[in-house]
Amino acid sequence: MTDPNAIQPSALDQLPDRDPEETAEWRASLDAVAREAGPHRAAYLMRRTLERAEAGGIALPKLLETDYVNTIPTAAEPAVPGDEAMETRITAWNRWNAAAMVTRGSKYGVGGHIATFASAAWLYETGFNHFFQGKEADGSGDQLYIQGHASPGIYARAFLDGRLNEGHLDNFRQESGGNGLPSYPHPRRLPWLWEFPTVSMGLGPLSAIYQARFNRYLTNRGIKDVSASHVWAFLGDGEMDEPESTAALALAAREELDNLTFVINCNLQRLDGPVRANFKIVQELEAQFRGAGWNVIKTLWGSAWDELFQLDTTGALVRRLREVPDAQIQTYQTRDAAYIRADFFGKDPALVEMAKLLSDDKILECFHLSRGGHEARKVYAAYKAAVEHKGAPTVILAQTVKGNTLGEGFASKNANHQMKKLTVDEFKTMRDLLDLPIKDSDFADGQVPYGHPGADSPEVRYLQERRAALGGPAPARRTHALAPLPAPAEKAFASFDKGSGSQNVATTMAFVRLVKDLVRDKETGKRWVPIVPDEARTFGMESLFPSLGIYSPKGQTYEPVDRDQLMYYKEAKNGQILNEGITEAGSMADFIAASSAYATHGEAMIPFYIFYSMFGWQRTADQMWQLGDQLGRGFLVGATAGRTTLTGEGLQHADGHSPVIAATNPAALTYDPAFAYEIAVVVREGLRRMYGEAKPGEDQNVFYYLTVYNEPLPQPAKPAGLGIDEGIVKGLYRFNTAESAGVTAPANAPRIQLLGSGTAIHWALEAQQLLAEEWGVAADVWSATSWSELRRDAMEADAALLRGEERVPYVRQALQGAEGPVLAVSDYMRQVPDQIAQWVEQDWSSLGADGFGLSDTREAARRHFGVDAQSIVVAALAQLAKRGEVKATAVKEAREKYGL
């Protein structure tokens, strides 16, 4: 028989046991406790022992879950400074006005959300009164990522503070008149208030982590000391289902971002029901964050529960709270005391006895009202512990009731996210509950009134005094009056004008060479933020490693394997490159933080993020909208671009559509440059527009998307003549004519205009030769650097015409007088060049790489998609044949000649 007290084989058997007898005694002691006092007592002792070991610095695996109780005991809670009664009145006014705003707007059908702020009111009010640093505080103040659906409460507080008036509140979700409030936090719509757009759920937590990380980057690089700034991200427990919400938890812990606090409003409800109906979301999140290395604070139960926990001498209450699923906790919120006695207390004899000591009112107070997230003292204790914790980020799991104080019709109801209004009677009940001095007669014609105690009332004075002590209003966005950055020396750009001679250079490499020169600029070089999601060597960026360094908060604690090489892997605490590993989402979050530093920190930074073009707009387009929403500035660079240039990689790497997606973003200026000098012109113009002297009426809050290619080709010199730079910036210029190209075509030969972008212009140039030499056709070749900018200009001309202004689109001006039809080609789907078709007066046709990508050589892939030089020739002849300018038989002959 096996001895039950013997130590069974385990992973620990691989380690030497210096005292087997002592080990056996410990195991026997544990068995004895389990046998005599029960397994629950044994588990309790083990948890306490593990907690003691962790507190003592003994190296053991961390305990991932703790009991379903508050992390900070009531006896350890610090007193809340200030006037708690006053803060209660302020919170009541905010609750009222948030609900009134949405209800009044509901008659126009614009909707709104009431229940989220109702659950989170104290989470915000405690922060505003005691923790959130304003813009006049040290560093740059705090950065607040407000939960999107809680925006009515933030507007209500700004109303109380005098930053908004009743007219603003009455225009909630009605912005077209120019005096409205956006539904959710949105810097582009309300740029003096909101810093961060957060309602695309999941992006807020991801961005908050990288914002906290970027704050450290700015400090460590000596750009600005923002070590006093703290990042607060307010999130919903349902929002944590989004993969982006937890995608960077390990980064935050690894880099010890103790300047970051997540506050997760655990009201146990997502949009249409429980978050974890059959499980416990708080315990799940605790394990997830603890496992990632975060400091976790649970603020679950209000002070009414103190009596119950004191009566819990057997641990039965704690056990029952751990086993009851979230959906049942939600049900208790809506049921009477008899139901709770039977269903909650009736499952354990010890709890039955406990319930006998509790009145019905006490049970209802605990299960209906008393949550940690609804009590200022408990929230304050959690926030204070969070900001004082060092060496790791903190997450606060605050349990609340969704729809709290809105009445029985709202609290914990599955449908409360979609409930947009309260009745007059429900408002009167709410008024009485909140003890607000609003009279029945104030409800004129059934309209709920806004409430305000007066601009000189004790409540408003208190609110404003607290904000003044903390550095000014919050949330707030400041656009600093920054001096334009000086333009880099012209030499850096002009060096590309002469071309590469006989050397083959890919445009990806040309861009990297340009940036390498720009980061050396004495005035602006330090402001460049190179961002790459791994594979920097693919893009030729390894030369930047030793000169700029890769940012790491720990510096370099090892000897790199390639230390003896010229371009070794160098990490540094003040490194300039953000080399993120395999995370496009993280890299975009980096870019967003850097691109908006001009507002967040009053420091203009110039981020460029280089990535496989296929994995940019396709994978992270939502963040690129977030970038536009946040008024970010910088350069996105889609490298190894195009459907056919990345040989062998196949469908998943073949980008034939990123310019289409980019064209949908109003803040994105998309360029597909063909030559190195075009890249130089676009980057120079981008620096001027975003960071230099803006032209009258010009929006600086834009970002550039450049597609660059990995195909080494000769880079020509910039053509001589006026207007080339203007054409590059506006999107189109004539690169050459048949005559200037030196091709031989008969006098009075049929003529066609070939428009190409990016790498496709090389196919057009080859087709130009074939058309002249083999078919007697003269072709002029145009470089279309930006199809989307041409389209935007044309659309603006159309809009001007409707206003009675005469304006000719630039594309029509550029092509005016050009003979023959127009044939456009790119390494993207035809929809890309077809953007401008309706504004071209000549006969129009296009070629493109439509469909899925494939693995093959460049030549074979281009033949497959029908975009190679020979395919262009056939398409050109077909266009001319329709016009009767070449024989119809020429098309068939060409097809057979080239084997198409």
Side-chain angles (χ1 to χ4, degrees):
M1 295 224 8
T2 302
D3 181 358
N5 294 318
I7 299 177
Q8 301 301 312
S10 71
L12 293 178
D13 291 343
Q14 300 178 49
L15 304 176
D17 188 345
R18 293 185 300 176
D19 193 338
E21 289 187 17
E22 182 182 40
T23 304
E25 290 174 2
W26 276 80
R27 182 181 176 99
S29 296
L30 181 63
D31 291 343
V33 171
R35 185 171 54 253
E36 300 299 328
H40 297 304
R41 177 62 181 169
Y44 175 85
L45 292 176
M46 286 302 299
R47 287 198 299 275
R48 296 293 86 81
T49 302
L50 287 171
E51 288 171 358
R52 179 66 177 173
E54 184 177 335
I58 299 173
L60 283 173
K62 289 189 175 182
L63 193 66
L64 294 186
E65 285 188 40
T66 60
D67 287 325
Y68 201 65
V69 297
N70 295 346
T71 302
I72 302 172
T74 299
E77 292 169 359
V80 180
D83 187 333
E84 192 168 344
M86 182 68 72
E87 292 175 20
T88 299
R89 292 204 295 276
I90 292 171
T91 305
W93 284 116
N94 293 341
R95 289 181 181 279
W96 178 271
N97 288 321
M101 178 194 326
V102 176
T103 297
R104 286 166 68 119
S106 67
K107 66 181 180 181
Y108 301 110
V110 296
H113 301 289
I114 305 175
T116 294
F117 177 73
S119 67
W122 276 111
L123 302 180
Y124 291 106
E125 194 59 38
T126 303
F128 284 130
N129 285 322
H130 302 287
F131 293 94
F132 302 157
Q133 299 290 316
K135 295 302 180 184
E136 280 79 43
D138 291 342
S140 303
D142 290 353
Q143 286 84 55
L144 308 180
Y145 287 77
I146 304 295
Q147 190 179 1
H149 294 127
S151 63
I154 309 304
Y155 291 140
R157 196 174 203 275
F159 170 65
L160 204 65
D161 192 12
R163 294 201 287 165
L164 294 175
N165 56 42
E166 288 192 13
H168 290 109
L169 301 192
D170 269 343
N171 282 309
F172 174 62
R173 290 193 169 196
Q174 299 174 73
E175 299 178 76
S176 60
N179 194 35
L181 301 178
S183 310
Y184 306 118
H186 205 304
R188 191 169 284 276
R189 289 301 181 204
L190 205 60
W192 59 269
L193 181 72
W194 299 120
E195 281 195 284
F196 309 107
T198 54
V199 84
S200 188
M201 289 192 286
L203 298 190
L206 178 67
S207 295
I209 289 173
Y210 280 88
Q211 182 67 57
R213 197 278 198 96
F214 188 73
N215 290 358
R216 290 279 172 85
Y217 172 88
L218 284 180
T219 300
N220 288 337
R221 286 198 54 219
I223 302 292
K224 183 179 182 180
D225 184 359
V226 293
S227 55
S229 294
H230 200 88
V231 178
W232 300 82
F234 288 83
L235 317 167
D237 47 0
E239 181 176 5
M240 301 311 294
D241 284 347
E242 292 283 3
E244 295 88 350
S245 294
T246 55
L249 298 186
L251 167 72
R254 182 170 67 243
E255 300 203 1
E256 300 178 353
L257 298 180
D258 50 27
N259 60 338
L260 170 67
T261 298
F262 276 15
V263 181
I264 302 182
N265 178 16
C266 297
N267 57 34
L268 313 185
Q269 290 182 248
R270 54 165 74 107
L271 306 186
D272 287 316
V275 178
R276 292 289 182 274
N278 297 296
F279 306 94
K280 302 192 79 63
I281 187 60
V282 168
Q283 299 300 93
E284 177 184 319
L285 292 175
E286 179 184 30
Q288 193 169 17
F289 278 87
R290 278 181 172 268
W294 286 53
N295 175 45
V296 178
I297 299 173
K298 293 197 290 193
T299 303
L300 307 180
W301 307 111
S303 56
W305 283 82
D306 289 349
E307 179 183 342
L308 275 68
F309 287 123
Q310 290 171 359
L311 294 172
D312 186 29
T313 57
T314 65
L317 176 62
V318 173
R319 291 196 300 272
R320 182 65 179 139
L321 288 173
R322 278 180 62 89
E323 69 188 24
V324 175
D326 283 352
Q328 193 63 24
I329 293 287
Q330 182 184 349
T331 297
Y332 294 149
Q333 170 69 33
T334 65
R335 298 300 178 90
D336 60 20
Y339 178 89
I340 298 171
R341 285 182 186 277
D343 193 86
F344 181 84
F345 293 97
K347 304 295 185 182
D348 187 297
L351 294 180
V352 171
E353 294 303 311
M354 179 189 293
K356 293 178 181 177
L357 303 175
L358 303 174
S359 67
D360 285 356
D361 287 345
K362 181 65 177 180
I363 289 174
L364 293 178
E365 180 187 14
C366 289
F367 283 85
H368 284 194
L369 303 174
S370 188
R371 299 292 186 272
H374 295 324
E375 295 190 13
R377 181 184 177 103
K378 297 193 179 295
V379 175
Y380 180 87
Y383 286 7
K384 188 172 187 294
V387 297
E388 292 176 354
H389 185 82
K390 300 303 177 185
T394 294
V395 58
I396 296 169
L397 304 175
Q399 188 156 281
T400 66
V401 173
K402 192 169 185 177
N404 182 49
T405 73
L406 297 180
E408 295 182 0
F410 266 84
S412 281
K413 295 298 175 66
N414 279 341
N416 61 20
H417 185 77
Q418 301 300 327
M419 296 163 70
K420 312 299 183 187
K421 59 184 178 179
L422 279 70
T423 65
V424 169
D425 287 342
E426 286 172 328
F427 267 110
K428 290 178 179 179
T429 300
M430 181 183 179
R431 172 201 61 190
D432 297 341
L433 176 65
L434 299 176
D435 194 23
L436 291 173
I438 296 174
K439 302 185 293 293
D440 285 354
S441 58
D442 292 335
F443 291 82
D445 300 322
Q447 175 84 297
V448 56
Y450 294 121
H452 199 293
D456 195 40
S457 64
E459 292 94 333
V460 173
R461 287 200 307 270
Y462 180 89
L463 181 156
Q464 293 176 342
E465 287 168 2
R466 292 305 308 142
R467 289 312 315 158
L470 288 166
R477 181 180 183 274
R478 295 287 174 84
T479 301
H480 301 262
L482 300 178
L485 292 183
E490 182 62 25
K491 181 181 177 182
F493 305 103
S495 64
F496 291 88
D497 290 353
K498 61 185 179 182
S500 64
S502 60
Q503 182 185 9
N504 289 337
V505 177
T507 52
T508 297
M509 182 56 67
F511 177 83
V512 172
R513 286 183 184 177
L514 174 61
V515 171
K516 190 174 180 180
D517 289 339
L518 293 175
V519 296
R520 293 195 186 107
D521 185 84
K522 292 181 180 179
E523 295 289 336
T524 60
K526 68 179 182 178
R527 298 193 175 275
W528 283 86
V529 184
I531 303 168
V532 59
D534 207 17
E535 295 204 276
R537 297 178 193 275
T538 298
F539 308 130
M541 290 178 61
E542 66 270 24
S543 62
L544 300 177
F545 288 171
S547 58
L548 301 184
I550 299 166
Y551 172 74
S552 169
K554 292 186 178 296
Q556 193 155 41
T557 61
Y558 62 92
E559 182 178 356
V561 67
D562 54 0
R563 183 63 182 85
D564 57 341
Q565 298 178 17
L566 180 63
M567 293 181 285
Y568 67 96
Y569 200 86
K570 177 187 174 183
E571 297 191 70
K573 191 171 183 179
N574 64 345
Q576 194 164 349
I577 301 169
L578 292 172
N579 193 19
E580 292 303 353
I582 307 174
T583 168
E584 286 83 7
S587 299
M588 270 305 303
D590 262 339
F591 188 92
I592 291 168
S595 72
S596 53
Y598 72 92
T600 309
H601 295 298
E603 296 287 345
M605 304 301 288
I606 311 171
F608 83 86
Y609 163 36
I610 189 167
F611 50 90
Y612 272 95
S613 67
M614 183 67 165
F615 303 140
W617 287 91
Q618 174 167 302
R619 179 169 290 185
T620 56
D622 194 13
Q623 287 178 284
M624 289 158 178
W625 274 96
Q626 181 189 10
L627 167 63
D629 291 345
Q630 202 163 310
L631 289 79
R633 305 169 183 174
F635 297 95
L636 296 177
V637 184
T640 60
R643 185 80 84 191
T644 68
T645 62
L646 188 57
T647 58
E649 294 285 0
L651 186 155
Q652 291 182 319
H653 287 67
D655 170 25
H657 51 278
S658 70
V660 176
I661 306 174
T664 66
N665 191 310
L669 278 62
T670 302
Y671 286 85
D672 187 25
F675 305 123
Y677 67 80
E678 293 178 353
I679 291 173
V681 170
V682 172
V683 171
R684 181 177 58 195
E685 171 64 9
L687 290 173
R688 181 207 63 77
R689 176 166 178 174
M690 295 185 290
Y691 302 98
E693 293 283 357
K695 297 175 183 176
E698 189 173 53
D699 184 5
Q700 288 189 285
N701 299 317
V702 296
F703 61 92
Y704 283 68
Y705 174 53
L706 279 70
T707 49
V708 293
Y709 299 83
N710 69 327
E711 187 172 10
L713 292 165
Q715 295 297 323
K718 183 193 289 187
L722 298 174
I724 297 296
D725 286 8
E726 179 189 22
I728 292 171
V729 170
K730 289 191 172 182
L732 184 67
Y733 69 98
R734 182 154 48 194
F735 176 72
N736 69 18
T737 64
E739 291 74 20
S740 65
V743 297
T744 304
N748 300 319
R751 187 172 290 267
I752 191 168
Q753 309 299 318
L754 302 180
L755 278 57
S757 69
T759 196
I761 202 168
H762 296 281
W763 322 331
L765 289 169
E766 184 181 350
Q768 182 186 48
Q769 294 282 340
L770 294 174
L771 283 166
E773 295 170 2
E774 300 183 5
W775 304 98
V777 172
D780 300 337
V781 175
W782 299 69
S783 180
T785 53
S786 179
W787 308 100
S788 61
E789 286 305 291
L790 292 172
R791 174 179 174 81
R792 284 178 180 166
D793 173 80
M795 292 173 66
E796 289 170 7
D798 287 353
L801 190 63
L802 292 176
R803 296 192 300 268
E805 303 170 18
E806 288 293 334
R807 182 177 156 194
V808 180
Y810 174 78
V811 64
R812 191 169 294 165
Q813 295 178 43
L815 290 171
Q816 187 174 15
E819 297 179 38
V822 169
L823 173 60
V825 61
S826 78
D827 202 17
Y828 299 94
M829 56 199 301
R830 289 176 60 182
Q831 188 175 341
V832 174
D834 284 348
Q835 292 179 82
I836 65 169
Q838 73 184 80
W839 292 282
V840 174
E841 293 181 317
Q842 293 87 345
D843 292 340
W844 172 271
S845 64
S846 63
L847 296 175
D850 286 79
F852 289 111
L854 76 164
S855 300
D856 214 314
T857 65
R858 292 185 180 117
E859 294 75 15
R862 287 161 188 169
R863 176 56 59 91
H864 169 81
F865 287 110
V867 292
D868 61 353
Q870 292 77 15
S871 298
I872 293 173
V873 169
V874 172
L877 293 174
Q879 278 288 86
L880 293 168
K882 282 198 298 183
R883 295 162 57 96
E885 296 181 20
V886 301
K887 294 179 180 179
T889 56
V891 180
K892 180 181 179 183
E893 291 172 15
R895 216 169 29 237
E896 292 173 351
K897 178 181 177 71
Y898 301 132
L900 297 180

